[in-house]
Amino acid sequence: MKQKIFATGLIAIGVVLVQACAPNPYAKTNRDYKKQAKEYAKLLREYPVLDSAGLQFRASWVGTTNFSMRRPNYVVIHHTAQNSCEQTLKTFTLPRAQVSSHYVICKDGTVHHMLNDLLRGHHAGVSKWGNATDINSSSIGIEIDNNGFEPFTDEQINSLLIVLDRLKKAYNIPIANFIGHADIAPGRKVDPNRNFPWQKLSEQGYGYWYDTTNVQVDSAFNAMYALRIIGYDIKKDTNAIQSFKLHFVQNDSSKVITDSDKKILMDLVKKYQ
Ligand SMILES: [Zn+2]
């Protein structure tokens, strides 16, 4: 019996040792990250560089002493539409995939920070919000592990709120600028899915919500203009309406504006304009 316990003990120690010595599957891509970041750091030091607008004025270059890094002004929330966090980490460390986000939040609430907040992620793609395009240049991307149809876990939302709190404070991001991928890419993207708790987020100060008590819709009210004021790209009405409903009227998958939607929009416009 004693021998058996001893043997089991040895196996257990062996397992711990193997785990401790197991190579980090991302050791190589972590090195690639550092290398790439170093290249950009070099670019920052050597300004003006060959492709900069200031090149033709190089001879008269005078570096100011007063500057800082550009800061993100939007937070864009996504669902991964993949089957596991592991799958997403693999995709985001595969150069040919050309996609990434600053944060990935797994079902158990684990947060993987994958990119310095001050660097540009590849998460938004072709997108527009108000008159802002190239949202990648001005935003933080947060991907939540979700196959696209399931609810989000409490652990994910709790972790998300911790990340959002830090981002809002660190970069002074306005309440209105916490948005979803579908909001900035109507007709192209539908994430995060309709289970996402936007109302709960707005109660904590991330994004606006509405209160339609006592809202009277006047006859001249134009719902599409209202969507445009909020930020939606209204090039195609039905796409804009679909994205709006995914965020604000989650139990309605139609692409038509109802009277109750008009009330919601009237109240929202006051907050966004
Ligand atoms: Zn997305």
Side-chain angles (χ1 to χ4, degrees):
M1 189 61 181
K2 249 186 188 168
Q3 256 178 344
K4 199 176 172 194
I5 292 170
F6 181 68
T8 314
L10 273 185
I11 290 168
I13 291 167
V15 168
V16 170
L17 280 177
V18 167
Q19 277 174 347
C21 302
N24 172 359
Y26 297 104
K28 187 192 173 297
T29 55
N30 282 350
R31 281 199 300 277
D32 291 346
Y33 175 100
K34 290 240 164 101
K35 205 171 137 199
Q36 211 174 320
K38 219 167 161 181
E39 286 299 311
Y40 284 118
K42 211 165 118 194
L43 201 65
L44 291 176
R45 274 205 308 274
E46 292 173 7
Y47 204 83
V49 288
L50 283 177
D51 63 347
S52 78
L55 180 66
Q56 57 178 311
F57 310 115
R58 193 173 191 135
S60 50
W61 152 262
V62 178
T64 178
T65 53
N66 316 317
F67 59 96
S68 51
M69 296 293 283
R70 288 183 198 266
R71 289 183 294 193
N73 199 232
Y74 297 86
V75 171
V76 180
I77 295 168
H78 305 252
H79 68 221
T80 58
Q82 291 197 311
N83 291 319
S84 70
C85 226
E86 200 51 41
Q87 196 184 354
T88 301
L89 296 182
K90 277 193 184 137
T91 308
F92 287 179
T93 50
L94 197 65
R96 71 167 187 276
Q98 275 300 305
V99 286
S100 61
S101 72
H102 296 82
Y103 299 86
V104 175
I105 304 181
C106 308
K107 291 212 166 61
D108 66 359
T110 303
V111 177
H112 294 284
H113 193 182
M114 298 193 73
L115 177 63
N116 187 315
D117 294 345
L118 301 174
L119 292 173
R120 183 176 182 271
H122 295 172
H123 61 96
V126 178
S127 46
K128 192 176 177 197
W129 187 245
N131 288 328
T133 55
D134 189 11
I135 308 286
N136 276 333
S137 283
S138 53
S139 69
I140 296 284
I142 302 178
E143 289 275 1
I144 307 179
D145 178 36
N146 181 294
N147 66 9
F149 305 97
E150 57 199 344
F152 298 85
T153 69
D154 290 343
E155 288 84 354
Q156 283 177 317
I157 301 305
N158 291 341
S159 292
L160 174 66
L161 289 171
I162 293 168
V163 174
L164 294 182
D165 179 57
R166 195 201 155 260
L167 293 174
K168 191 180 179 186
K169 284 183 186 144
Y171 308 118
N172 203 16
I173 296 171
I175 294 173
N177 292 2
F178 292 82
I179 46 184
H181 200 188
D183 292 318
I184 61 170
R188 197 173 70 79
K189 292 291 172 183
V190 291
D191 62 311
N193 74 48
R194 61 183 70 251
N195 297 307
F196 189 75
W198 284 113
Q199 183 175 2
K200 183 178 173 168
L201 252 67
S202 83
E203 285 161 4
Q204 313 272 329
Y206 312 112
Y208 282 123
W209 202 248
Y210 50 85
D211 176 4
T212 53
T213 346
N214 304 322
V215 173
Q216 297 280 330
V217 178
D218 73 68
S219 57
F221 180 73
N222 184 320
M224 293 317 294
Y225 281 169
L227 285 171
R228 180 72 184 94
I229 289 168
I230 291 169
Y232 289 99
D233 179 356
I234 57 166
K235 208 159 43 204
K236 193 161 180 228
D237 288 13
T238 49
N239 289 343
I241 294 168
Q242 185 187 29
S243 284
F244 157 71
K245 298 230 185 196
L246 207 52
H247 188 136
F248 294 104
V249 199
Q250 294 178 318
N251 58 1
D252 179 4
S253 55
S254 78
K255 296 179 184 178
V256 287
I257 294 287
T258 65
D259 286 344
S260 94
D261 295 339
K262 283 186 186 169
K263 282 190 174 182
I264 293 169
L265 283 167
M266 262 197 87
D267 191 59
L268 283 175
V269 157
K270 277 188 269 167
K271 293 171 171 137
Y272 279 89
Q273 70 191 357

